[in-house]
Amino acid sequence: MTDSTHDRLLIIDFGSQVTQLIARRLRELNVYCEIHPFNKVDDAFLKSFAPKAVIFSGGPASVFADGAPMPPKGVFDLGVPILGICYGQQVMMHCLGGKVERGHGTAEFGRAYVTPTAATHPVLSGWFDTDDGHGGREQVWMSHGDHVSEIAPGFQVLGTSPNAPFAITANPKRHFYAVQFHPEVHHTPKGAKLYENFVRLAGFKGDWTMGAYREEAIRKIREQVGDEKVICGLSGGVDSSVAAVLIHEAIGDQLTCVFVDHGLLRLGEAEQVVTMFRDHYNMPLIHADESDLFLGALEGVSDPEVKRKTIGRLFIEVFEKHAKSIGGAKFLAQGTLYPDVIESVSFSGGPSVTIKSHHNVGGLPEKMGMKLVEPLRELFKDEVRALGRELGLPAQFIGRHPFPGPGLAIRCPGEITREKLDILRRADAVYIDQIRKHGLYDDIWQAFAAILPMKTVGVMGDGRTYDYALALRAVTSVDGMTADYYPFTHDFLGETATRIINEVQGVNRVFYDCTSKPPGTIELE
Ligand code: XMP
């Protein structure tokens, strides 16, 4: 709990796959909210959080199950509006004297249509317009096995669907609202309007803007850090860059950034980062050129996990060395985002298989006895971009595709050599240039070239060539967890392959990777 000057909305998470989307819809309405799992919310927590309204998320459980997730009883006595969604509705009815029933043919998954009853309520303002072509019914997205069979005393029905007689219900006196469908998903087109009505009825001012966030974050950083020194590992990615600029604005030269150049960066990347932060922002910046160290240690290594672990280990060693050189930094700044925070407190996630050991600076703070400064902990990725714009970071920089910590090492399957890295850098630059020239950069979540561990025979200018093959990758994604390959036109692919082979010596064949994730991953290693 961090923000105290704004109206706060509490989302109690019962484990729905789409709880984060509720937060998104609310943030779009400039409402400050936090998601907390049901088993971390007790009456003492409610008191200290002091929400102005509460939302119960959906969830996979059944209220009939042993130990079914429940909200703390005190939540109904707070005197604040509550909105229950799907499982949240069932739980609300169950706790307040209504009835929930098992399936029996009334399960609904997917698109459904809700029609209004005779009762009306401002929570449905903008719904059921007869002149919008839907004949006064609204499309909603259902996903429930159990259903409410009897509403709790004081509730009335505002909307019904064929399999959910209590699709939309309200207790107007207590400002409790409960819906069987998911208003947060895209497939409930008027869902955002429902949230808007709910927060308006709850009295939210909608004052949570990026400008306000920036001011508050600066105040908090000053308060936390005092006159101590802070060190920040700058990767050139959006998150660490925005964190660094924000912290620099708060505490000036008490912040030192360390940019570890492992020799696995893209063409011109180190210069761009150093120029921007050291020259443009005038920040104390250590440019640690350690390419010999990293490339030396990676010589002869072809196993992807060994590569990742080697880079992770050296990164920490180098960072530690330079952190010591500035003498006594008590704080380590990190660009941790909200989704990372949520994942780490997830109550439903079981042990998952490690597909790739992602490289980061985890473990450093404890090892070096440092405290963390994480000014982006409450933000989603696109909110970080909005904050970056607010802070005046150049648009081109803010919109950059993600780039992984191990850099080109994982785009060079098999053994890494300086020659291959050099070819890859130049080919990648041509590919990205093509994407920008065709105006496609912002439609793509991530695009890059990878150099394959094989040579193929070709013919150029009547002569035989025996050169490297290159794979091009471009994906669309929301969060990198799943991804679709980007459907370039044949013309684009043909033109790009020709340009790369003509302009980059050492490549004589280009493939396009049409694998989605799953079953593939975004990076090749
Ligand atoms: P994968 O290949 O796992 O990638 O589908 C998903 C997203 O994560 C990035 N990625 C990394 N980022 N350190 C990072 O900071 C890593 O070790 C790492 N490995 C993959 C990848 O670029 C994509 O955006």
Side-chain angles (χ1 to χ4, degrees):
M1 275 174 287
T2 37
D3 186 288
S4 54
T5 57
H6 298 279
D7 296 335
R8 300 143 64 77
L9 190 147
L10 171 66
I11 300 171
I12 300 184
D13 185 15
F14 291 107
S16 160
Q17 297 288 321
V18 288
T19 302
Q20 284 203 34
L21 288 181
I22 305 175
R24 288 308 328 266
R25 298 286 92 83
L26 294 166
R27 300 283 184 94
E28 282 159 13
L29 295 164
N30 295 332
V31 166
Y32 182 82
C33 65
E34 289 183 22
I35 300 174
H36 291 270
F38 75 93
N39 55 354
K40 301 270 166 58
V41 177
D42 56 16
D43 288 340
F45 177 92
L46 286 176
K47 194 161 170 244
S48 69
F49 191 95
K52 199 179 174 79
V54 178
I55 293 181
F56 296 168
S57 83
S62 165
V63 293
F64 301 110
D66 278 347
M70 289 290 152
K73 285 278 182 299
V75 73
F76 298 107
D77 301 323
L78 287 175
V80 303
I82 303 179
L83 171 63
I85 292 159
C86 197
Y87 179 78
Q89 180 193 41
Q90 294 163 15
V91 128
M92 203 188 234
M93 294 304 161
H94 182 78
C95 292
L96 296 176
K99 265 205 189 126
V100 178
E101 264 181 16
R102 282 264 156 91
H104 302 307
T106 56
E108 277 179 304
F109 295 96
R111 190 178 284 107
Y113 290 92
V114 176
T115 47
T117 62
T120 57
H121 190 283
V123 79
L124 291 180
S125 149
W127 276 56
F128 304 125
D129 295 338
T130 44
D131 56 359
D132 68 356
H134 299 297
R137 60 179 196 164
E138 294 293 350
Q139 181 186 311
V140 299
W141 199 255
M142 296 279 191
S143 181
H144 64 100
D146 298 349
H147 71 284
V148 173
S149 60
E150 203 177 301
I151 48 176
F155 277 80
Q156 55 183 227
V157 184
L158 303 177
T160 65
S161 80
N163 276 344
F166 306 120
I168 310 174
T169 58
N171 178 335
K173 210 160 147 212
R174 299 186 75 183
H175 280 292
F176 292 166
Y177 308 92
V179 297
Q180 182 58 79
F181 54 87
H182 288 272
E184 61 277 19
V185 305
H186 183 68
H187 294 90
T188 302
K190 290 261 178 84
K193 184 72 185 147
L194 188 75
Y195 284 113
E196 187 187 328
N197 296 337
F198 175 69
V199 298
R200 192 170 37 78
L201 289 169
F204 280 85
K205 292 189 284 292
D207 57 358
W208 196 76
T209 61
M210 258 321 144
Y213 185 88
R214 170 191 188 171
E215 295 307 315
E216 217 155 278
I218 287 174
R219 181 182 56 73
K220 279 191 243 163
I221 294 165
R222 288 186 181 142
E223 215 171 271
Q224 184 190 5
V225 168
D227 51 14
E228 297 293 345
K229 285 186 185 158
V230 180
I231 191 156
C232 176
L234 199 62
S235 67
V238 178
D239 306 342
S240 64
S241 302
V242 171
V245 173
L246 185 68
I247 296 169
H248 188 249
E249 193 164 307
I251 58 168
D253 288 359
Q254 283 167 253
L255 171 73
T256 301
C257 291
V258 181
F259 175 61
V260 179
D261 181 347
H262 45 25
L264 298 157
L265 298 168
R266 290 166 292 187
L267 198 68
E269 191 157 22
E271 294 74 19
Q272 278 166 26
V273 173
V274 173
T275 306
M276 178 151 106
F277 288 93
R278 192 186 276 161
D279 302 345
H280 181 70
Y281 280 99
N282 217 3
M283 276 188 209
L285 172 73
I286 297 170
H287 176 187
D289 182 356
E290 301 280 1
S291 42
D292 287 345
L293 175 75
F294 281 83
L295 298 183
L298 289 168
E299 221 174 281
V301 176
S302 54
D303 180 85
E305 278 302 289
V306 179
K307 277 186 191 174
R308 282 171 175 276
K309 295 223 161 95
T310 307
I311 294 167
R313 176 176 52 79
L314 290 178
F315 189 94
I316 290 179
E317 271 175 37
V318 169
F319 189 83
E320 236 180 327
K321 178 175 89 184
H322 291 282
K324 278 207 186 102
S325 76
I326 69 157
K330 284 238 165 65
F331 293 91
L332 173 74
Q334 280 188 344
T336 318
L337 303 192
Y338 195 46
D340 312 329
V341 178
I342 301 193
E343 233 158 78
S344 65
V345 298
S346 159
F347 61 88
S348 54
S352 58
V353 180
T354 302
I355 307 291
K356 303 177 182 186
S357 45
H358 275 213
H359 145 92
N360 56 33
V361 287
L364 249 192
E366 300 91 71
K367 201 166 161 213
M368 295 172 69
M370 287 199 280
K371 291 193 197 107
L372 285 175
V373 183
E374 296 178 308
L376 311 182
R377 272 179 78 88
E378 290 148 27
L379 303 182
F380 289 95
K381 187 87 178 176
D382 56 334
E383 291 173 330
V384 171
R385 293 202 164 109
L387 179 60
R389 282 191 289 276
E390 174 78 31
L391 289 163
L393 274 157
Q396 234 203 12
F397 194 81
I398 288 169
R400 272 163 56 134
H401 293 169
F403 186 62
L408 300 183
I410 55 176
R411 295 177 178 177
C412 190
E415 217 175 302
I416 299 166
T417 64
R418 285 179 193 265
E419 182 212 8
K420 281 202 221 167
L421 287 175
D422 182 51
I423 294 171
L424 175 56
R425 267 188 202 105
R426 286 182 292 124
D428 185 75
V430 174
Y431 178 40
I432 299 299
D433 182 58
Q434 273 288 101
I435 289 175
R436 284 201 189 277
K437 276 202 174 121
H438 284 257
L440 302 174
Y441 191 84
D442 294 337
D443 295 342
I444 294 170
W445 198 74
Q446 194 172 13
F448 56 87
I451 187 161
L452 299 177
M454 67 184 204
K455 287 189 166 180
T456 69
V457 173
V459 51
M460 282 171 87
D462 294 331
R464 178 187 191 269
T465 59
Y466 187 57
D467 283 327
Y468 284 106
L470 204 80
L472 303 182
R473 184 96 168 113
V475 295
T476 54
S477 177
V478 177
D479 50 16
M481 303 296 287
T482 57
D484 255 342
Y485 75 88
Y486 187 79
F488 286 123
T489 62
H490 282 291
D491 282 352
F492 175 89
L493 288 171
E495 187 184 304
T496 306
T498 305
R499 260 195 75 187
I500 290 175
I501 292 167
N502 285 347
E503 293 175 34
V504 182
Q505 214 186 347
V507 179
N508 68 354
R509 199 173 291 261
V510 174
F511 298 104
Y512 185 56
D513 183 346
C514 299
T515 324
S516 294
K517 172 184 180 175
T521 55
I522 295 178
E523 303 290 346
L524 269 68
E525 282 191 339

mmCIF file of all heavy atoms in Angstrom, residues 308 356-359 402-406 410-411 445-446 480 517 521-523 525, ligand 1:
data_model
loop_
_atom_site.group_PDB
_atom_site.id
_atom_site.type_symbol
_atom_site.label_atom_id
_atom_site.label_comp_id
_atom_site.label_asym_id
_atom_site.label_seq_id
_atom_site.Cartn_x
_atom_site.Cartn_y
_atom_site.Cartn_z
ATOM 1 N N ARG A 308 23.195 -18.385 -20.646
ATOM 2 C CA ARG A 308 22.410 -17.491 -19.797
ATOM 3 C C ARG A 308 23.013 -17.367 -18.399
ATOM 4 O O ARG A 308 23.113 -16.279 -17.842
ATOM 5 C CB ARG A 308 20.978 -18.011 -19.663
ATOM 6 C CG ARG A 308 20.122 -17.732 -20.863
ATOM 7 C CD ARG A 308 18.800 -18.457 -20.761
ATOM 8 N NE ARG A 308 17.944 -18.073 -21.875
ATOM 9 C CZ ARG A 308 17.191 -16.981 -21.894
ATOM 10 N NH1 ARG A 308 17.155 -16.188 -20.838
ATOM 11 N NH2 ARG A 308 16.470 -16.673 -22.944
ATOM 12 N N LYS A 356 13.329 -21.124 -19.445
ATOM 13 C CA LYS A 356 14.595 -20.421 -19.630
ATOM 14 C C LYS A 356 14.881 -19.696 -18.323
ATOM 15 O O LYS A 356 13.966 -19.126 -17.737
ATOM 16 C CB LYS A 356 14.472 -19.349 -20.729
ATOM 17 C CG LYS A 356 14.029 -19.878 -22.048
ATOM 18 C CD LYS A 356 13.861 -18.741 -23.048
ATOM 19 C CE LYS A 356 13.363 -19.322 -24.371
ATOM 20 N NZ LYS A 356 13.307 -18.349 -25.442
ATOM 21 N N SER A 357 16.137 -19.711 -17.889
ATOM 22 C CA SER A 357 16.419 -18.947 -16.677
ATOM 23 C C SER A 357 16.681 -17.510 -17.092
ATOM 24 O O SER A 357 17.750 -17.195 -17.590
ATOM 25 C CB SER A 357 17.604 -19.531 -15.928
ATOM 26 O OG SER A 357 18.631 -19.830 -16.828
ATOM 27 N N HIS A 358 15.665 -16.681 -16.960
ATOM 28 C CA HIS A 358 15.795 -15.282 -17.375
ATOM 29 C C HIS A 358 16.861 -14.579 -16.550
ATOM 30 O O HIS A 358 16.971 -14.775 -15.352
ATOM 31 C CB HIS A 358 14.461 -14.555 -17.250
ATOM 32 C CG HIS A 358 13.605 -14.752 -18.461
ATOM 33 N ND1 HIS A 358 12.745 -13.813 -18.927
ATOM 34 C CD2 HIS A 358 13.516 -15.791 -19.308
ATOM 35 C CE1 HIS A 358 12.145 -14.259 -20.012
ATOM 36 N NE2 HIS A 358 12.596 -15.473 -20.252
ATOM 37 N N HIS A 359 17.593 -13.751 -17.267
ATOM 38 C CA HIS A 359 18.690 -13.079 -16.613
ATOM 39 C C HIS A 359 18.217 -11.756 -16.031
ATOM 40 O O HIS A 359 17.575 -10.965 -16.694
ATOM 41 C CB HIS A 359 19.790 -12.862 -17.664
ATOM 42 C CG HIS A 359 20.552 -11.605 -17.514
ATOM 43 N ND1 HIS A 359 21.705 -11.547 -16.797
ATOM 44 C CD2 HIS A 359 20.309 -10.376 -17.968
ATOM 45 C CE1 HIS A 359 22.151 -10.305 -16.844
ATOM 46 N NE2 HIS A 359 21.326 -9.585 -17.540
ATOM 47 N N PRO A 402 11.099 -4.718 -26.718
ATOM 48 C CA PRO A 402 11.916 -5.255 -25.613
ATOM 49 C C PRO A 402 13.192 -5.896 -26.151
ATOM 50 O O PRO A 402 13.213 -6.415 -27.271
ATOM 51 C CB PRO A 402 11.022 -6.346 -25.012
ATOM 52 C CG PRO A 402 9.664 -6.156 -25.585
ATOM 53 C CD PRO A 402 9.804 -5.383 -26.847
ATOM 54 N N PHE A 403 14.226 -5.831 -25.346
ATOM 55 C CA PHE A 403 15.503 -6.466 -25.708
ATOM 56 C C PHE A 403 15.956 -7.277 -24.493
ATOM 57 O O PHE A 403 15.995 -6.754 -23.383
ATOM 58 C CB PHE A 403 16.535 -5.389 -26.063
ATOM 59 C CG PHE A 403 17.837 -5.941 -26.584
ATOM 60 C CD1 PHE A 403 17.872 -6.679 -27.766
ATOM 61 C CD2 PHE A 403 19.022 -5.734 -25.897
ATOM 62 C CE1 PHE A 403 19.062 -7.194 -28.257
ATOM 63 C CE2 PHE A 403 20.227 -6.241 -26.374
ATOM 64 C CZ PHE A 403 20.249 -6.974 -27.558
ATOM 65 N N PRO A 404 16.282 -8.552 -24.676
ATOM 66 C CA PRO A 404 16.557 -9.398 -23.503
ATOM 67 C C PRO A 404 17.908 -9.103 -22.855
ATOM 68 O O PRO A 404 18.853 -8.686 -23.547
ATOM 69 C CB PRO A 404 16.550 -10.811 -24.094
ATOM 70 C CG PRO A 404 16.941 -10.624 -25.521
ATOM 71 C CD PRO A 404 16.403 -9.290 -25.946
ATOM 72 N N GLY A 405 17.987 -9.347 -21.570
ATOM 73 C CA GLY A 405 19.234 -9.137 -20.827
ATOM 74 C C GLY A 405 20.447 -9.806 -21.473
ATOM 75 O O GLY A 405 21.496 -9.166 -21.627
ATOM 76 N N PRO A 406 20.346 -11.094 -21.876
ATOM 77 C CA PRO A 406 21.532 -11.738 -22.477
ATOM 78 C C PRO A 406 21.819 -11.272 -23.900
ATOM 79 O O PRO A 406 22.772 -11.746 -24.525
ATOM 80 C CB PRO A 406 21.174 -13.235 -22.471
ATOM 81 C CG PRO A 406 19.956 -13.361 -21.631
ATOM 82 C CD PRO A 406 19.253 -12.048 -21.648
ATOM 83 N N ILE A 410 21.515 -14.927 -27.195
ATOM 84 C CA ILE A 410 20.433 -15.903 -27.387
ATOM 85 C C ILE A 410 19.801 -15.770 -28.772
ATOM 86 O O ILE A 410 18.811 -16.410 -29.078
ATOM 87 C CB ILE A 410 19.386 -15.811 -26.257
ATOM 88 C CG1 ILE A 410 18.825 -14.400 -26.104
ATOM 89 C CG2 ILE A 410 20.006 -16.279 -24.946
ATOM 90 C CD1 ILE A 410 17.713 -14.285 -25.054
ATOM 91 N N ARG A 411 20.419 -14.908 -29.608
ATOM 92 C CA ARG A 411 19.979 -14.801 -31.008
ATOM 93 C C ARG A 411 21.063 -15.362 -31.921
ATOM 94 O O ARG A 411 21.097 -15.095 -33.122
ATOM 95 C CB ARG A 411 19.682 -13.338 -31.341
ATOM 96 C CG ARG A 411 18.514 -12.846 -30.527
ATOM 97 C CD ARG A 411 18.183 -11.394 -30.723
ATOM 98 N NE ARG A 411 17.014 -11.055 -29.914
ATOM 99 C CZ ARG A 411 16.501 -9.849 -29.822
ATOM 100 N NH1 ARG A 411 17.038 -8.844 -30.502
ATOM 101 N NH2 ARG A 411 15.447 -9.627 -29.064
ATOM 102 N N TRP A 445 5.255 -6.358 -31.699
ATOM 103 C CA TRP A 445 5.663 -6.303 -30.285
ATOM 104 C C TRP A 445 7.176 -6.425 -30.161
ATOM 105 O O TRP A 445 7.806 -5.761 -29.351
ATOM 106 C CB TRP A 445 4.964 -7.433 -29.524
ATOM 107 C CG TRP A 445 4.960 -7.207 -28.053
ATOM 108 C CD1 TRP A 445 4.191 -6.309 -27.386
ATOM 109 C CD2 TRP A 445 5.771 -7.870 -27.092
ATOM 110 N NE1 TRP A 445 4.464 -6.390 -26.044
ATOM 111 C CE2 TRP A 445 5.425 -7.334 -25.834
ATOM 112 C CE3 TRP A 445 6.748 -8.863 -27.147
ATOM 113 C CZ2 TRP A 445 6.020 -7.759 -24.664
ATOM 114 C CZ3 TRP A 445 7.337 -9.288 -25.975
ATOM 115 C CH2 TRP A 445 6.976 -8.729 -24.753
ATOM 116 N N GLN A 446 7.743 -7.296 -30.992
ATOM 117 C CA GLN A 446 9.197 -7.493 -30.948
ATOM 118 C C GLN A 446 9.652 -8.088 -32.272
ATOM 119 O O GLN A 446 9.021 -9.005 -32.792
ATOM 120 C CB GLN A 446 9.532 -8.451 -29.807
ATOM 121 C CG GLN A 446 10.997 -8.493 -29.437
ATOM 122 C CD GLN A 446 11.235 -9.304 -28.165
ATOM 123 O OE1 GLN A 446 10.355 -10.020 -27.692
ATOM 124 N NE2 GLN A 446 12.421 -9.199 -27.611
ATOM 125 N N GLY A 480 4.311 -10.905 -23.815
ATOM 126 C CA GLY A 480 5.445 -11.797 -24.055
ATOM 127 C C GLY A 480 5.194 -13.229 -23.598
ATOM 128 O O GLY A 480 5.999 -14.113 -23.865
ATOM 129 N N LYS A 517 4.019 -18.645 -30.113
ATOM 130 C CA LYS A 517 4.395 -19.080 -28.754
ATOM 131 C C LYS A 517 3.131 -19.302 -27.945
ATOM 132 O O LYS A 517 2.378 -18.340 -27.796
ATOM 133 C CB LYS A 517 5.253 -18.012 -28.079
ATOM 134 C CG LYS A 517 5.524 -18.320 -26.595
ATOM 135 C CD LYS A 517 6.287 -17.225 -25.892
ATOM 136 C CE LYS A 517 6.515 -17.603 -24.428
ATOM 137 N NZ LYS A 517 7.339 -16.652 -23.712
ATOM 138 N N THR A 521 9.183 -20.297 -28.488
ATOM 139 C CA THR A 521 9.331 -19.152 -27.593
ATOM 140 C C THR A 521 9.701 -17.979 -28.496
ATOM 141 O O THR A 521 9.931 -18.178 -29.690
ATOM 142 C CB THR A 521 10.425 -19.383 -26.531
ATOM 143 O OG1 THR A 521 11.644 -19.729 -27.203
ATOM 144 C CG2 THR A 521 10.042 -20.493 -25.578
ATOM 145 N N ILE A 522 9.736 -16.792 -27.932
ATOM 146 C CA ILE A 522 10.017 -15.633 -28.793
ATOM 147 C C ILE A 522 11.473 -15.654 -29.231
ATOM 148 O O ILE A 522 11.782 -15.622 -30.425
ATOM 149 C CB ILE A 522 9.644 -14.322 -28.072
ATOM 150 C CG1 ILE A 522 8.125 -14.281 -27.838
ATOM 151 C CG2 ILE A 522 10.093 -13.120 -28.912
ATOM 152 C CD1 ILE A 522 7.608 -13.078 -27.090
ATOM 153 N N GLU A 523 12.381 -15.725 -28.272
ATOM 154 C CA GLU A 523 13.796 -15.829 -28.616
ATOM 155 C C GLU A 523 14.085 -17.252 -29.085
ATOM 156 O O GLU A 523 13.352 -18.183 -28.736
ATOM 157 C CB GLU A 523 14.665 -15.502 -27.397
ATOM 158 C CG GLU A 523 14.419 -14.129 -26.792
ATOM 159 C CD GLU A 523 14.898 -12.982 -27.664
ATOM 160 O OE1 GLU A 523 15.658 -13.227 -28.624
ATOM 161 O OE2 GLU A 523 14.500 -11.838 -27.391
ATOM 162 N N GLU A 525 16.700 -19.039 -28.224
ATOM 163 C CA GLU A 525 17.284 -19.862 -27.146
ATOM 164 C C GLU A 525 16.725 -19.437 -25.803
ATOM 165 O O GLU A 525 16.407 -18.270 -25.604
ATOM 166 C CB GLU A 525 18.804 -19.673 -27.107
ATOM 167 C CG GLU A 525 19.505 -20.455 -28.205
ATOM 168 C CD GLU A 525 21.021 -20.471 -27.982
ATOM 169 O OE1 GLU A 525 21.518 -19.594 -27.264
ATOM 170 O OE2 GLU A 525 21.670 -21.365 -28.533
HETATM 171 P P1 XMP B 1 10.812 -15.987 -24.575
HETATM 172 O O1 XMP B 1 11.964 -16.251 -25.476
HETATM 173 O O2 XMP B 1 10.969 -16.579 -23.208
HETATM 174 O O3 XMP B 1 10.807 -14.412 -24.374
HETATM 175 O O4 XMP B 1 9.498 -16.336 -25.209
HETATM 176 C C1 XMP B 1 9.749 -13.664 -23.789
HETATM 177 C C2 XMP B 1 10.212 -12.231 -23.666
HETATM 178 O O5 XMP B 1 11.259 -12.158 -22.688
HETATM 179 C C3 XMP B 1 12.462 -11.677 -23.273
HETATM 180 N N1 XMP B 1 13.550 -12.441 -22.686
HETATM 181 C C4 XMP B 1 14.333 -11.974 -21.709
HETATM 182 N N2 XMP B 1 14.360 -10.771 -21.107
HETATM 183 N N3 XMP B 1 16.173 -11.493 -19.787
HETATM 184 C C5 XMP B 1 15.305 -10.529 -20.161
HETATM 185 O O6 XMP B 1 15.387 -9.425 -19.625
HETATM 186 C C6 XMP B 1 16.192 -12.720 -20.350
HETATM 187 O O7 XMP B 1 16.997 -13.568 -19.997
HETATM 188 C C7 XMP B 1 15.228 -12.968 -21.368
HETATM 189 N N4 XMP B 1 14.947 -14.049 -22.138
HETATM 190 C C8 XMP B 1 13.913 -13.696 -22.953
HETATM 191 C C9 XMP B 1 12.305 -11.887 -24.759
HETATM 192 O O8 XMP B 1 13.104 -10.979 -25.499
HETATM 193 C C10 XMP B 1 10.827 -11.657 -24.935
HETATM 194 O O9 XMP B 1 10.537 -10.273 -24.963
#
